Amino acid sequence: MEVKHRIETKLKSAFSPQHIEVINESQNHNVPQGSETHFKVLLVSKAFEAKTLVQRHRWVYELLAEEMKNGVHALTLHTHTPEEWIHSPAFRKSPPCLGGSSEEN
C-alpha cells in the first residue's frame, strides 16, 4: 500500500474528518522521482474541538509515528475544527448561481 493511502486511511479512521487532503509534495524536494517523503495534510474534524494546535499536531504525529520512522521526512499539518475551517481564508465558498442557462431566447 502506498504511503499516501496509508496516511489517508489512518487519518480517516481516527478523526472521521469532514474534509481531508493528503498531498505528496516530494517532487518539490531533492529526492528521487516517485518518492513519498514529504506530505502536506489538511484535516478538518470535530475531534479537534477543545484541543490546542499543539495537541492536535501531537495527536496526528502519534498516529503516523510508523510512517515518520519509515521514510516520511516531512509532514506539514493544517488541522481545523469545522467552524475554524468555514472561517478560514483557505475556505472559499462557491459564488452564487445566477440561475438558469446563459442562452437568451
Side-chain angles (χ1 to χ4, degrees), residues 6-62:
R6 278 199 319 269
I7 291 171
E8 287 175 343
T9 300
K10 285 184 174 185
L11 294 174
K12 286 177 182 178
S13 177
F15 298 106
S16 301
Q18 284 71 28
H19 183 82
I20 184 171
E21 293 179 39
V22 178
I23 302 165
N24 183 352
E25 297 187 321
S26 301
Q27 73 281 356
N28 299 334
H29 301 275
N30 188 20
V31 295
Q33 186 173 357
S35 293
E36 290 188 289
T37 56
H38 296 71
F39 290 91
K40 177 168 53 175
V41 173
L42 170 59
L43 190 58
V44 180
S45 175
K46 289 182 181 181
F48 294 138
E49 292 175 354
K51 303 282 186 197
T52 67
L53 187 61
V54 171
Q55 290 171 322
R56 297 171 190 187
H57 287 200
R58 283 183 181 157
W59 196 1
V60 172
Y61 276 112
E62 287 172 10

Side-chain angles (χ1 to χ4, degrees), residues 64 66 95:
L64 301 178
E66 182 179 333

